[in-house]
Amino acid sequence: MVAAGLLLCLLTNIYDSYAATSGNQIDMGTTAVFEDDEMSSKINSALGAIHDAEDSGADVSTLVDQFNIAIDQLRSAEGPDYGSCGSYEHCVDNANQIFASIVNDAKELGQNAEMKHYENVLKMLIYAVIIAFALSSLGVYLYGRYRSSELRRFLEMEVREN
Amino acid sequence: MDFNYMSYLKIANEFLRSKKFIIAFASLAALLLPAALISSAGEQKEEYLTMSTIGSSLKADNYFPNANNTVNISEPIKWQIKIYNGMDRSEFISLRLKVLNSTQTIPNDVSNSPSPSPELFEYHQLIPKNSEVAVPIEWSIIDIEKQESQVTIRTLMINGEIIDNLDIQSMNGQDLRIVLELWEYQNDTSDFSFKWSSNNHERSVWNQIWFNIKN
């Protein structure tokens, strides 16, 4: 029994060390900071805010640029010399601040765009009513003129007998 | 003047209350109001993402410095990956680079599943709608290991980053391929997904370029 237990322990250790030296240890050129739950939720919020603003009809080009700057900061956080930020914490803090400002700016842009959209819809409806009123007035007036001229022509007809 | 004013008002009142005017106005309003609402709503179109790999001359050729696709050790290979976002909103994408031999599983176009091999390099960018970005990729094989006819890639450099502890094997260094997969971020799962949906159809995008190693 003891020998079997020792053998099992030995096999488990061998497997663990194999797993550690195989695929798991590949030094990949990826940004592991994206795997962090807190960062992932901030990225999600910023992206959701951009999409909401976009759906409202806002021009989100500046927000997209800001978002990509934040992503660059996260990439720098994973880099060997931290790019222009100086340290891992600084890079992540910068990215967090940018994501937070994106959420606020996107909300404002979205509200403005939504107001503008409603204004445009209202304008279109008012124009439609005005055009309908003008066309129907003109149509009825011209029809009335035509009928009265017909009547006048009928009344002014002369009866000639050959 | 008062008499005229009153008479005009009376005529206008009669005119507006006339059956002819009411019918004409109601008919035109019934046509124009929905037209106004439809024109203010956004149009629906086909949504898509595309990816193309071009060589150093920014054309679909000159993928390798030599006339053929055999690469030397430490020889830099420069490509541009062009990604176009034709979706109706900006898309956060992940470009994933994998190196496979001829027997490893490539992405499946039918099930829209990615290659199970791990990505060696990943690039993220948010692309505005109806926009194209070009991602420069410069890669080189830094270290290989030869055992009889088997060549194993041990270290690669991609965009200045060293990726080591690799184990990509091939016979005589032949029939290897770079696979580029385009993943899309999905807000509901808070994760990147290889397949994305367009007009109720699932789609995926990937490229592959074959190469050999001179040994």
Side-chain angles (χ1 to χ4, degrees), chain A residues 25-31 34-35 40 43-44 47-48 50-52 54-55 60 63-64 67-68 71 75 117 121 124-125 128-129 131-133 135-138 140-141 143, chain B residues 15-16 18 20-21 24-25 28-29 32-33 36-37 39-40 88-92 118-129 161-166 185-187 190:
Chain A
Q25 217 185 23
I26 293 175
D27 178 18
M28 294 190 300
T30 56
T31 41
F34 288 101
E35 307 301 324
S40 177
I43 290 172
N44 212 31
L47 205 53
I50 291 174
H51 284 159
D52 287 346
E54 212 165 20
D55 291 345
V60 293
L63 298 180
V64 169
F67 187 93
N68 284 327
I71 295 298
R75 202 176 291 138
H117 175 72
V121 171
M124 293 288 279
L125 291 176
V129 170
I131 290 168
F133 181 83
L135 285 178
S136 52
S137 303
L138 187 70
V140 171
Y141 171 74
Y143 180 72
Chain B
F15 180 79
L16 293 175
S18 69
K20 282 173 203 152
F21 175 79
F25 178 71
L28 279 170
L32 291 175
L33 286 175
L37 285 174
S39 70
S40 62
D88 71 342
R89 51 166 54 172
S90 46
E91 291 292 338
F92 187 33
E119 66 269 15
L120 306 181
F121 178 80
E122 193 174 7
Y123 178 85
H124 301 96
Q125 185 159 355
L126 181 62
I127 309 174
K129 66 178 174 182
E161 291 179 46
I162 295 284
I163 296 117
D164 51 16
N165 297 323
L166 298 173
Y185 190 84
Q186 298 192 334
N187 275 63
S190 303

Side-chain angles (χ1 to χ4, degrees), chain B residues 73 141-155 166-170 172-173 213 215:
Chain B
I73 304 300
I141 298 165
I142 301 298
D143 184 33
I144 58 168
E145 195 177 290
K146 284 189 230 172
Q147 278 185 336
E148 296 174 357
S149 62
Q150 185 163 284
V151 173
T152 306
I153 299 176
R154 290 293 179 205
T155 310
L166 298 173
D167 187 23
I168 306 158
Q169 299 169 355
S170 69
N172 300 313
I213 303 171
N215 58 85

Side-chain angles (χ1 to χ4, degrees), chain B residues 34-78:
Chain B
L37 285 174
I38 289 165
S39 70
S40 62
E43 58 176 323
Q44 257 202 326
K45 55 169 190 161
E46 170 118 21
E47 296 175 71
Y48 59 93
L49 286 167
T50 60
M51 176 172 67
S52 53
T53 307
I54 53 174
S56 54
S57 57
L58 302 180
K59 291 178 186 164
D61 57 10
N62 293 333
Y63 288 102
F64 298 97
N66 311 315
N68 54 38
N69 65 341
T70 301
V71 298
N72 297 311
I73 304 300
S74 298
E75 186 175 48
I77 318 291
K78 292 177 185 175

Side-chain angles (χ1 to χ4, degrees), chain A:
Chain A
M1 272 302 263
V2 174
L6 282 171
L7 187 64
L8 188 68
C9 279
L10 187 66
L11 286 174
T12 312
N13 279 336
I14 289 169
Y15 175 75
D16 284 347
S17 59
Y18 167 75
T21 53
S22 59
N24 294 345
Q25 217 185 23
I26 293 175
D27 178 18
M28 294 190 300
T30 56
T31 41
V33 74
F34 288 101
E35 307 301 324
D36 177 53
D37 280 347
E38 200 186 338
M39 188 51 71
S40 177
S41 110
K42 281 174 180 163
I43 290 172
N44 212 31
S45 305
L47 205 53
I50 291 174
H51 284 159
D52 287 346
E54 212 165 20
D55 291 345
S56 304
D59 175 10
V60 293
S61 51
T62 50
L63 298 180
V64 169
D65 291 342
Q66 281 181 3
F67 187 93
N68 284 327
I69 289 169
I71 295 298
D72 275 341
Q73 296 283 314
L74 293 181
R75 202 176 291 138
S76 299
E78 294 288 316
D81 54 356
Y82 307 111
S84 58
C85 355
S87 71
Y88 177 88
E89 288 77 19
H90 202 186
C91 290
V92 172
D93 281 351
N94 286 350
N96 277 336
Q97 280 173 14
I98 295 170
F99 286 136
S101 82
I102 286 172
V103 171
N104 292 333
D105 293 351
K107 206 173 174 183
E108 204 177 314
L109 271 178
Q111 281 170 349
N112 290 344
E114 215 159 293
M115 284 295 287
K116 207 171 176 184
H117 175 72
Y118 287 135
E119 273 173 24
N120 284 340
V121 171
L122 198 65
K123 261 187 210 167
M124 293 288 279
L125 291 176
I126 290 168
Y127 288 151
V129 170
I130 290 171
I131 290 168
F133 181 83
L135 285 178
S136 52
S137 303
L138 187 70
V140 171
Y141 171 74
L142 289 176
Y143 180 72
R145 287 284 297 245
Y146 168 74
R147 288 299 300 266
S148 62
S149 73
E150 285 281 292
L151 185 68
R152 200 176 306 122
R153 208 172 63 178
F154 177 76
L155 291 174
E156 287 170 358
M157 271 180 180
E158 286 178 21
V159 180
R160 285 184 187 169
E161 206 173 325
N162 290 327

